[in-house]
Amino acid sequence: MFFRSFVAAAIVTLVAAGPCVRDYIVKDGDICDKISTAQGVSTYQLGVINNGIIDNECSNLTPNLKICLGYLGEDCTTVYTVARGDTCEAIAAAHNVNVTLLHENNPQINPGCGNIYIGEVLCVASKVIVPPPAVGKSFPMPSTAMPAVPSKTPQPVANDEEDLPWCDEL
Ligand SMILES: *[C@@H]1O[C@H](CO)[C@@H](O)[C@H](O)[C@H]1NC(C)=O
């Protein structure tokens, strides 16, 4: 048991990525996706590289904090900022990549692509290039994030029995 944990820790240390090829100093008023769009770094990449530094809502950036935007050999600089109405299919087609690759480069996107949000920055590179996901890491998403395509409001199911609760008592 101890041995296994030790091995796991050693492997994690060995694959620890880097070196950083793009440093960035946080400015007053910065939020993650603003940095991402301005600097050309995906929401996922910014989050996974700064795991443990930037919190899951990206609410703890402070001016002069030094963060890393890209690791050598794992630095996606071909990015796209999600707009209202975007779907994974449309984004992929517009950048000549398939949806599989879009998911591989943006592992935070759920299988149905229902969780992409306006302002999220996606890697649209033509090969897999981003660092692997960090174990136990959820990805920074602002608490104010608006889905690119609003989910349909479930329609109330017509059900006479529910409208007439007293029927159950007859
Ligand atoms: C998606 O694109 C990648 C890279 O071009 C390719 O290797 C892969 O086979 C494609 N997958 C599908 C399902 O078309």
Side-chain angles (χ1 to χ4, degrees):
M1 197 66 171
F2 169 77
F3 182 69
R4 260 190 212 177
S5 322
F6 176 76
V7 170
I11 290 169
V12 167
T13 307
L14 284 175
V15 299
C20 186
V21 288
R22 292 199 277 162
D23 284 326
Y24 179 79
I25 307 293
V26 174
K27 297 199 258 310
D28 195 23
D30 270 349
I31 55 171
C32 282
D33 288 334
K34 183 179 159 190
I35 296 172
S36 289
T37 295
Q39 302 297 320
V41 55
S42 69
T43 296
Y44 165 78
Q45 184 170 302
L46 186 67
V48 77
I49 290 179
N50 298 287
N51 184 22
I53 298 170
I54 300 177
D55 69 25
N56 285 340
E57 289 187 351
C58 190
S59 60
N60 65 339
L61 290 182
T62 51
N64 299 321
L65 176 71
K66 185 178 164 186
I67 58 176
C68 176
L69 305 184
Y71 287 149
L72 185 67
E74 295 178 328
D75 186 14
C76 180
T77 55
T78 311
V79 297
Y80 170 75
T81 303
V82 175
R84 185 181 305 275
D86 278 344
T87 61
C88 281
E89 287 78 7
I91 294 168
H95 295 90
N96 294 315
V97 298
N98 58 41
V99 173
T100 307
L101 188 55
L102 188 67
H103 273 100
E104 285 172 334
N105 271 325
N106 303 277
Q108 81 278 23
I109 300 177
N110 67 19
C113 193
N115 65 340
I116 60 169
Y117 63 86
I118 298 166
E120 183 174 13
V121 182
L122 301 180
C123 171
V124 291
S126 55
K127 62 175 183 169
V128 179
I129 189 167
V130 297
V135 176
K137 168 75 179 169
S138 53
F139 298 96
M141 182 188 282
S143 54
T144 54
M146 297 286 292
V149 178
S151 58
K152 294 185 185 70
T153 310
Q155 295 301 306
V157 177
N159 186 334
D160 287 345
E161 276 183 8
E162 270 177 27
D163 292 334
L164 304 167
W166 57 85
C167 285
D168 291 335
E169 292 167 28
L170 294 176

